[in-house]
Amino acid sequence: GGHAWEPYLLVEGGGSAGGQQVSTSVACADTYCTIELVSLLETEQTHNNNRNLYMPETQTQYAVTRRTQRRNPRDTAARFLEQVTFGTVREELEQLARNMDATTNDDSLILADWLHEQMYKVPATSHRAFYRRHSTSRFESSYQGGTVTHPCQAGAAYRRFVFTEKHHGQRLRIVHQGGTTNNNWVVLMVANRVLSVLLDSEVTVVENGAVVADGRYQICERPETFLGGTIMIQRGGSCVAVAFGSIQGNPPVQFAPGSTALVPGMVELTLSTTHVETLDLLSYNAQKGDNAQRIVTTRALTEETCRTSLNFDRGGPIPIVFGKLEGQYYAHDPRFVFLENTVESPLSDGGGSLVESTINQFASQYQTACSNAPRSFLNQDSCVLSKDVNACSQAQVTTYGLEVTLDEATLQKFYELTNSEGQPHYIYAMKGLRILDDVQAPPPCQPLARSRWIPVPELTTQAACHQQNGNAVLGDDTITVLSALLTQFSDGTDLVRDIFLPSNTEITCNVADQHRKGFHLFTQQQGCFQNVHPNHLQVYDMTMWPDLHPGGPANIEKWAESGSAFLQYSTSHVMQRWQDNKDTFVNLGRLGERIDFGDLSSGLQSSPAVVAHFFETSGDDIFDVASETAVVVCGGVNEVSNDLSLGGETDRGSFDTMTAFDRTSNVATKDRERLWTTVSVTAPDQLRQRVAWALSQLFVVNNYRHPEAAAYYYDIFVRNAFGSFRDILKEISTNSMMGRMLTFLDSRSTSYVWSRDLQLEYPDENFAREILQLFPIGLYELNDDGSARLDNDGRLIRTYGNGDIEEYSRAWTGFREQQDRGNVNQLSRTDPMYIRLEWRDSLPKMGLGNKYIGHGFPRCIDLPEQHFLAKGAKYVLLGSKAKPELHTDPSGWINDPLAVKFAADPQSQLNAALCKKNGSSCSYPPIMVLESNLACRGIECNTENVRMIEVEGGIFYEYVRPPCVRHAFSLEPRKIKNRRRDYMCVDAREHAARAACCYQENNNRSRSYILEDYWGERVTAAHAEKICESNQIEPIDEDHSSFSMCQQPYDPIFVNCDGSQCQDSRLQYAWWSGTSSCQIKAKIDKQGRVAIAHFAPDEGERASVDNLYSEDSKTFFR
């Protein structure tokens, strides 16, 4: 449906694919169409007397020549609504028909009005908002996502029946006990909690009336949550339904007279009909008892018990509380509480008050995380500055310079910390991998192969070492080559050593040794080594593997549970099994290796306990509630609160709440189906929902982990159904569900993997391929009218090739999931991904049409002087902490009281623009774009470039430099180095490094110092020389090669231009004077691709060139 009228076709040849089509003519007026059917006999004669027609001549010789039929307005409306909705209701159909019938205008105008109203007047219905609003299922404790209802608050629910879906799988204890009046009580307990005391009731099997004796019985099926609902227990090896006295199933909450003494510390509240309402009128029918099975308080209870016995901490499992209404007992039904934290109205404290209320819980699994959403392109314009004393920040932890050692103690600590949160992570170093049995493990002498070796210190002589090889004698060339490599590659861990055999070495292994592996080798400098499996002692995060392991989770979990940091590969497993599954694990590094905290798996980085432990032990600062006096708080898209006045069960009008350690039920798949069906069919914005569904069929994901994550992803199409296709591409490209689906999540650049792991690994190409093939452009070029473009030979023109995929894959490196945060289901990741800078590929990338991705942008060196003061300059609010979001500073600088920050002059135009006073106080807009060029004042006139700026009130902004490009090959190269002596060659006109100057001390020793207006100031080479000249100090050059920044003793006058204390960072680069030792060369491979090589004549410097630009670089571009 929905297409224009098309020619009616008769097919010659019996309707077969080879038959000829015979057209008829169709003429349409406004409200009807006329169809001319040609003479069948005439058609036969026209086609060479071919008598194989679809309609045999014996049936008829002529067709009907004309038939006229008008459609009435109701039929037209029905057909139209069928095409543009998921199904209309009678009222809407009749209204549209009446509108059409009442006008003399063309019906299409009425239909156009309907479309216009749907597109521009009817608000979008969010699936995520609907899910959250109706997430009112039971939940019994606080957790990372938030807290639960208090028995005395407005919106607290109470139930009359005993058992809920939370009791499924738990053990029911049945105890008969004599009452105070010689009546028999039946006490029902779960987890040592008394739930009900029934009077003169027997527990019997429904099927045969057999009495169930006292004891403990597992509740083997999910209870039906209404009075009399089926309750199944495990008895005598069978799962049987039981009755409680006259109640054929779920019994009432009841306490026989005098039985409350059986409940130590029982809290009983008095409920009044004036402040409760009935829940679930639609969920319970006459067959399920009366309508007062669940009630909800409409206002807070004020009785004394609420201020005394129930004045408990909001965190942790909530105690059982009972209420009494008109003689009937009810049990408090705690429910999870979602807070309103939308883009338009973020939480004023970012959820910090909830963090404070649960921070001292005995188990970290009950601690609530900060709800403050990370800033993104979706919410940045609506973020606000909060000075609430509890305001918290959930921004990415600064990990620049923080390292973690992957030793046994650390791996065990990972398990200990995450297990305390109820989300154990299984981090193991591998043992037992057999190199001789693994055909995919390359021999050490294979060119371009990485091989792993472990030291064998007990074999102290060459004879003892090589004796381990039996009768196989290593050739001299093999010993020479491999010994040199083992000596050269001392790469940070004493437990294993990886070497890489280049393909261009002058000496290679002996031919007889080229396929050997697993042997021992003695080196004169460092002793004996044994070649082992390439993954021996490699550390992996295997947290997802227990659920996937064919042999069951116990065989994977047992190692960590016993306190081991190692997983021993089974001797019964073939090695191909390892190769088939190892990519399932997250590779963290080698045992004993020091890695950046940011290289840990996203699960470990998301663990509050892990973050707190490693930052505290390192001495670095992390964001906590008390450390910031002003915090930027942001909300999430459609992150609305739940409506506690709504009732429902997980499969009757309500949706589930899940955490990693607990969940109300196991109905996530059904929840997703119910959510989509309910919203799509009932939402008033039917046209939008129909378009969103069509778009979702193009941008498919299938790894839904939770309904909230699925709903958030689907809302991308709902919000943008009538908007920009580019906006859709941007949102799906930064959504972690798409990152997982098309596997570019955690994709890393070739240079990063090579420098870290000595492995030749290319970025993931899945998303790069699909964003070309499936999403925007397809396989072949098209004309504006959708027809295929052809080349001069009439052939289709391909839109892209494999080379384009390789180029674009480098653009999708560095994407990582945001940390879990509060106010969101723990198994959902709804915030857009962030980019880990170190993982990005920074080299040029050729786009379609043989144009680089940066084509058309200005060169960075051509930006105007002091562009941070120019019209259009953009600033982003950071708050009271100088933690940048768009660049990296050492983590130790953030809270260092001696750190020198760039502070605007209080009287400057820039300060006034960023402060933007509202009366006598600053309003601090979240985003500020300068409306005109500003004049500099004070320190602003001395600097070329800024990254962060402090304004009035101790508030920081980050400067967002205009988009610009750097040329890969510079005509004015200059050397820069850091204290670690890393070497690079960059354009002298770039703001790329700091000013480092030499000072001749009294002992004639030459020292180097950093001179800058603020810590980390990056200037051009010419400006660095100017700074040194103005202080009468020489720039660092080849004659002043001792580069020791700010080592004591020092003269404060020569440390920073304002005389402040010194600061130090091994990773900050500084300019070197002269150009003789700096060259940028091009390395070209056989396919014509280019790599950049920074050439250093000095052998020591050559070994310190950044891996991306080394002569052995593995990263090429077109």
Side-chain angles (χ1 to χ4, degrees), residues 104-125:
T104 58
N105 295 327
D106 188 345
D107 289 344
S108 61
L109 297 179
I110 302 299
L111 302 182
D113 288 342
W114 187 93
L115 294 173
H116 185 273
E117 181 176 7
Q118 283 280 309
M119 293 178 66
Y120 303 110
K121 295 182 179 180
V122 180
T125 303

PDB file of all heavy atoms in Angstrom, residues 104-125:
ATOM      1  N   THR A 104     -15.360  20.659   0.992  1.00  0.00           N
ATOM      2  CA  THR A 104     -15.452  20.544  -0.468  1.00  0.00           C
ATOM      3  C   THR A 104     -14.079  20.530  -1.105  1.00  0.00           C
ATOM      4  O   THR A 104     -13.961  20.404  -2.324  1.00  0.00           O
ATOM      5  CB  THR A 104     -16.261  21.716  -1.035  1.00  0.00           C
ATOM      6  OG1 THR A 104     -15.632  22.951  -0.653  1.00  0.00           O
ATOM      7  CG2 THR A 104     -17.688  21.694  -0.494  1.00  0.00           C
ATOM      8  N   ASN A 105     -13.031  20.689  -0.249  1.00  0.00           N
ATOM      9  CA  ASN A 105     -11.660  20.688  -0.767  1.00  0.00           C
ATOM     10  C   ASN A 105     -11.213  19.272  -1.078  1.00  0.00           C
ATOM     11  O   ASN A 105     -11.870  18.288  -0.737  1.00  0.00           O
ATOM     12  CB  ASN A 105     -10.711  21.327   0.246  1.00  0.00           C
ATOM     13  CG  ASN A 105     -11.015  22.792   0.467  1.00  0.00           C
ATOM     14  OD1 ASN A 105     -11.445  23.482  -0.462  1.00  0.00           O
ATOM     15  ND2 ASN A 105     -10.810  23.260   1.692  1.00  0.00           N
ATOM     16  N   ASP A 106     -10.074  19.211  -1.694  1.00  0.00           N
ATOM     17  CA  ASP A 106      -9.464  17.935  -2.018  1.00  0.00           C
ATOM     18  C   ASP A 106      -9.187  17.163  -0.720  1.00  0.00           C
ATOM     19  O   ASP A 106      -8.692  17.727   0.265  1.00  0.00           O
ATOM     20  CB  ASP A 106      -8.154  18.203  -2.772  1.00  0.00           C
ATOM     21  CG  ASP A 106      -7.547  16.929  -3.322  1.00  0.00           C
ATOM     22  OD1 ASP A 106      -7.958  15.839  -2.896  1.00  0.00           O
ATOM     23  OD2 ASP A 106      -6.655  17.043  -4.176  1.00  0.00           O
ATOM     24  N   ASP A 107      -9.506  15.864  -0.714  1.00  0.00           N
ATOM     25  CA  ASP A 107      -9.250  15.049   0.462  1.00  0.00           C
ATOM     26  C   ASP A 107      -7.780  15.076   0.870  1.00  0.00           C
ATOM     27  O   ASP A 107      -7.447  14.944   2.056  1.00  0.00           O
ATOM     28  CB  ASP A 107      -9.663  13.599   0.212  1.00  0.00           C
ATOM     29  CG  ASP A 107     -11.179  13.454   0.141  1.00  0.00           C
ATOM     30  OD1 ASP A 107     -11.881  14.383   0.578  1.00  0.00           O
ATOM     31  OD2 ASP A 107     -11.636  12.414  -0.361  1.00  0.00           O
ATOM     32  N   SER A 108      -6.905  15.233  -0.117  1.00  0.00           N
ATOM     33  CA  SER A 108      -5.474  15.213   0.187  1.00  0.00           C
ATOM     34  C   SER A 108      -5.089  16.344   1.121  1.00  0.00           C
ATOM     35  O   SER A 108      -4.124  16.231   1.884  1.00  0.00           O
ATOM     36  CB  SER A 108      -4.648  15.287  -1.096  1.00  0.00           C
ATOM     37  OG  SER A 108      -4.914  16.491  -1.795  1.00  0.00           O
ATOM     38  N   LEU A 109      -5.824  17.449   1.113  1.00  0.00           N
ATOM     39  CA  LEU A 109      -5.516  18.550   2.016  1.00  0.00           C
ATOM     40  C   LEU A 109      -5.829  18.165   3.459  1.00  0.00           C
ATOM     41  O   LEU A 109      -5.114  18.542   4.393  1.00  0.00           O
ATOM     42  CB  LEU A 109      -6.297  19.803   1.615  1.00  0.00           C
ATOM     43  CG  LEU A 109      -5.972  20.379   0.227  1.00  0.00           C
ATOM     44  CD1 LEU A 109      -6.832  21.596  -0.060  1.00  0.00           C
ATOM     45  CD2 LEU A 109      -4.486  20.724   0.138  1.00  0.00           C
ATOM     46  N   ILE A 110      -6.917  17.438   3.652  1.00  0.00           N
ATOM     47  CA  ILE A 110      -7.261  16.966   4.991  1.00  0.00           C
ATOM     48  C   ILE A 110      -6.192  16.002   5.488  1.00  0.00           C
ATOM     49  O   ILE A 110      -5.762  16.070   6.646  1.00  0.00           O
ATOM     50  CB  ILE A 110      -8.645  16.285   4.991  1.00  0.00           C
ATOM     51  CG1 ILE A 110      -9.718  17.265   4.494  1.00  0.00           C
ATOM     52  CG2 ILE A 110      -8.983  15.760   6.379  1.00  0.00           C
ATOM     53  CD1 ILE A 110      -9.863  18.493   5.357  1.00  0.00           C
ATOM     54  N   LEU A 111      -5.763  15.116   4.594  1.00  0.00           N
ATOM     55  CA  LEU A 111      -4.727  14.161   4.984  1.00  0.00           C
ATOM     56  C   LEU A 111      -3.410  14.877   5.261  1.00  0.00           C
ATOM     57  O   LEU A 111      -2.665  14.504   6.176  1.00  0.00           O
ATOM     58  CB  LEU A 111      -4.541  13.113   3.890  1.00  0.00           C
ATOM     59  CG  LEU A 111      -5.794  12.315   3.514  1.00  0.00           C
ATOM     60  CD1 LEU A 111      -5.468  11.267   2.463  1.00  0.00           C
ATOM     61  CD2 LEU A 111      -6.419  11.669   4.748  1.00  0.00           C
ATOM     62  N   ALA A 112      -3.120  15.914   4.487  1.00  0.00           N
ATOM     63  CA  ALA A 112      -1.900  16.692   4.718  1.00  0.00           C
ATOM     64  C   ALA A 112      -1.947  17.387   6.069  1.00  0.00           C
ATOM     65  O   ALA A 112      -0.932  17.477   6.777  1.00  0.00           O
ATOM     66  CB  ALA A 112      -1.707  17.711   3.595  1.00  0.00           C
ATOM     67  N   ASP A 113      -3.130  17.888   6.459  1.00  0.00           N
ATOM     68  CA  ASP A 113      -3.270  18.511   7.772  1.00  0.00           C
ATOM     69  C   ASP A 113      -2.996  17.499   8.881  1.00  0.00           C
ATOM     70  O   ASP A 113      -2.376  17.829   9.902  1.00  0.00           O
ATOM     71  CB  ASP A 113      -4.684  19.085   7.931  1.00  0.00           C
ATOM     72  CG  ASP A 113      -4.903  20.325   7.079  1.00  0.00           C
ATOM     73  OD1 ASP A 113      -3.896  20.935   6.649  1.00  0.00           O
ATOM     74  OD2 ASP A 113      -6.075  20.676   6.832  1.00  0.00           O
ATOM     75  N   TRP A 114      -3.501  16.277   8.691  1.00  0.00           N
ATOM     76  CA  TRP A 114      -3.250  15.231   9.686  1.00  0.00           C
ATOM     77  C   TRP A 114      -1.756  14.956   9.810  1.00  0.00           C
ATOM     78  O   TRP A 114      -1.220  14.842  10.914  1.00  0.00           O
ATOM     79  CB  TRP A 114      -3.993  13.967   9.287  1.00  0.00           C
ATOM     80  CG  TRP A 114      -3.948  12.872  10.323  1.00  0.00           C
ATOM     81  CD1 TRP A 114      -4.851  12.627  11.310  1.00  0.00           C
ATOM     82  CD2 TRP A 114      -2.930  11.871  10.460  1.00  0.00           C
ATOM     83  NE1 TRP A 114      -4.471  11.546  12.059  1.00  0.00           N
ATOM     84  CE2 TRP A 114      -3.281  11.058  11.570  1.00  0.00           C
ATOM     85  CE3 TRP A 114      -1.758  11.579   9.769  1.00  0.00           C
ATOM     86  CZ2 TRP A 114      -2.512   9.986  11.982  1.00  0.00           C
ATOM     87  CZ3 TRP A 114      -0.974  10.513  10.180  1.00  0.00           C
ATOM     88  CH2 TRP A 114      -1.356   9.717  11.275  1.00  0.00           C
ATOM     89  N   LEU A 115      -1.063  14.848   8.663  1.00  0.00           N
ATOM     90  CA  LEU A 115       0.378  14.613   8.671  1.00  0.00           C
ATOM     91  C   LEU A 115       1.118  15.761   9.344  1.00  0.00           C
ATOM     92  O   LEU A 115       2.052  15.545  10.136  1.00  0.00           O
ATOM     93  CB  LEU A 115       0.887  14.418   7.244  1.00  0.00           C
ATOM     94  CG  LEU A 115       0.404  13.168   6.508  1.00  0.00           C
ATOM     95  CD1 LEU A 115       0.852  13.205   5.050  1.00  0.00           C
ATOM     96  CD2 LEU A 115       0.917  11.904   7.187  1.00  0.00           C
ATOM     97  N   HIS A 116       0.706  17.003   9.041  1.00  0.00           N
ATOM     98  CA  HIS A 116       1.368  18.154   9.619  1.00  0.00           C
ATOM     99  C   HIS A 116       1.216  18.168  11.140  1.00  0.00           C
ATOM    100  O   HIS A 116       2.170  18.455  11.875  1.00  0.00           O
ATOM    101  CB  HIS A 116       0.790  19.443   9.015  1.00  0.00           C
ATOM    102  CG  HIS A 116       1.496  20.683   9.470  1.00  0.00           C
ATOM    103  ND1 HIS A 116       1.160  21.351  10.618  1.00  0.00           N
ATOM    104  CD2 HIS A 116       2.535  21.361   8.911  1.00  0.00           C
ATOM    105  CE1 HIS A 116       1.958  22.396  10.771  1.00  0.00           C
ATOM    106  NE2 HIS A 116       2.799  22.433   9.751  1.00  0.00           N
ATOM    107  N   GLU A 117       0.041  17.847  11.605  1.00  0.00           N
ATOM    108  CA  GLU A 117      -0.183  17.814  13.056  1.00  0.00           C
ATOM    109  C   GLU A 117       0.672  16.728  13.706  1.00  0.00           C
ATOM    110  O   GLU A 117       1.262  16.938  14.770  1.00  0.00           O
ATOM    111  CB  GLU A 117      -1.657  17.577  13.347  1.00  0.00           C
ATOM    112  CG  GLU A 117      -1.968  17.561  14.844  1.00  0.00           C
ATOM    113  CD  GLU A 117      -3.452  17.412  15.124  1.00  0.00           C
ATOM    114  OE1 GLU A 117      -4.219  17.196  14.163  1.00  0.00           O
ATOM    115  OE2 GLU A 117      -3.839  17.512  16.302  1.00  0.00           O
ATOM    116  N   GLN A 118       0.751  15.568  13.087  1.00  0.00           N
ATOM    117  CA  GLN A 118       1.559  14.478  13.633  1.00  0.00           C
ATOM    118  C   GLN A 118       3.039  14.841  13.665  1.00  0.00           C
ATOM    119  O   GLN A 118       3.750  14.509  14.614  1.00  0.00           O
ATOM    120  CB  GLN A 118       1.356  13.211  12.795  1.00  0.00           C
ATOM    121  CG  GLN A 118       0.062  12.489  13.057  1.00  0.00           C
ATOM    122  CD  GLN A 118       0.125  11.628  14.304  1.00  0.00           C
ATOM    123  OE1 GLN A 118       1.034  10.819  14.483  1.00  0.00           O
ATOM    124  NE2 GLN A 118      -0.837  11.808  15.196  1.00  0.00           N
ATOM    125  N   MET A 119       3.509  15.536  12.666  1.00  0.00           N
ATOM    126  CA  MET A 119       4.929  15.838  12.563  1.00  0.00           C
ATOM    127  C   MET A 119       5.350  16.999  13.458  1.00  0.00           C
ATOM    128  O   MET A 119       6.456  16.987  14.021  1.00  0.00           O
ATOM    129  CB  MET A 119       5.299  16.150  11.112  1.00  0.00           C
ATOM    130  CG  MET A 119       5.174  14.958  10.169  1.00  0.00           C
ATOM    131  SD  MET A 119       5.551  15.364   8.442  1.00  0.00           S
ATOM    132  CE  MET A 119       7.290  15.762   8.562  1.00  0.00           C
ATOM    133  N   TYR A 120       4.491  17.995  13.621  1.00  0.00           N
ATOM    134  CA  TYR A 120       4.930  19.233  14.255  1.00  0.00           C
ATOM    135  C   TYR A 120       4.175  19.606  15.531  1.00  0.00           C
ATOM    136  O   TYR A 120       4.621  20.505  16.254  1.00  0.00           O
ATOM    137  CB  TYR A 120       4.827  20.391  13.264  1.00  0.00           C
ATOM    138  CG  TYR A 120       5.626  20.157  12.012  1.00  0.00           C
ATOM    139  CD1 TYR A 120       4.998  19.923  10.790  1.00  0.00           C
ATOM    140  CD2 TYR A 120       7.024  20.142  12.050  1.00  0.00           C
ATOM    141  CE1 TYR A 120       5.733  19.701   9.640  1.00  0.00           C
ATOM    142  CE2 TYR A 120       7.761  19.918  10.902  1.00  0.00           C
ATOM    143  CZ  TYR A 120       7.113  19.695   9.699  1.00  0.00           C
ATOM    144  OH  TYR A 120       7.846  19.470   8.563  1.00  0.00           O
ATOM    145  N   LYS A 121       3.057  18.968  15.822  1.00  0.00           N
ATOM    146  CA  LYS A 121       2.270  19.369  16.982  1.00  0.00           C
ATOM    147  C   LYS A 121       2.147  18.279  18.045  1.00  0.00           C
ATOM    148  O   LYS A 121       2.077  18.593  19.231  1.00  0.00           O
ATOM    149  CB  LYS A 121       0.870  19.809  16.533  1.00  0.00           C
ATOM    150  CG  LYS A 121       0.877  21.059  15.652  1.00  0.00           C
ATOM    151  CD  LYS A 121      -0.538  21.477  15.280  1.00  0.00           C
ATOM    152  CE  LYS A 121      -0.526  22.732  14.411  1.00  0.00           C
ATOM    153  NZ  LYS A 121      -1.902  23.163  14.045  1.00  0.00           N
ATOM    154  N   VAL A 122       2.098  17.037  17.643  1.00  0.00           N
ATOM    155  CA  VAL A 122       1.949  15.954  18.618  1.00  0.00           C
ATOM    156  C   VAL A 122       3.316  15.645  19.222  1.00  0.00           C
ATOM    157  O   VAL A 122       4.260  15.316  18.491  1.00  0.00           O
ATOM    158  CB  VAL A 122       1.359  14.690  17.960  1.00  0.00           C
ATOM    159  CG1 VAL A 122       1.207  13.576  19.001  1.00  0.00           C
ATOM    160  CG2 VAL A 122       0.026  15.005  17.307  1.00  0.00           C
ATOM    161  N   PRO A 123       3.483  15.740  20.539  1.00  0.00           N
ATOM    162  CA  PRO A 123       4.791  15.477  21.163  1.00  0.00           C
ATOM    163  C   PRO A 123       5.235  14.037  20.945  1.00  0.00           C
ATOM    164  O   PRO A 123       4.415  13.123  20.820  1.00  0.00           O
ATOM    165  CB  PRO A 123       4.545  15.763  22.653  1.00  0.00           C
ATOM    166  CG  PRO A 123       3.286  16.560  22.707  1.00  0.00           C
ATOM    167  CD  PRO A 123       2.462  16.126  21.530  1.00  0.00           C
ATOM    168  N   ALA A 124       6.552  13.865  20.918  1.00  0.00           N
ATOM    169  CA  ALA A 124       7.118  12.521  20.772  1.00  0.00           C
ATOM    170  C   ALA A 124       6.872  11.715  22.038  1.00  0.00           C
ATOM    171  O   ALA A 124       6.983  12.230  23.152  1.00  0.00           O
ATOM    172  CB  ALA A 124       8.611  12.608  20.479  1.00  0.00           C
ATOM    173  N   THR A 125       6.548  10.456  21.877  1.00  0.00           N
ATOM    174  CA  THR A 125       6.366   9.546  23.010  1.00  0.00           C
ATOM    175  C   THR A 125       7.621   8.715  23.168  1.00  0.00           C
ATOM    176  O   THR A 125       7.970   7.907  22.308  1.00  0.00           O
ATOM    177  CB  THR A 125       5.158   8.621  22.783  1.00  0.00           C
ATOM    178  OG1 THR A 125       3.989   9.426  22.570  1.00  0.00           O
ATOM    179  CG2 THR A 125       4.941   7.723  23.994  1.00  0.00           C
TER     180      THR A 125
END
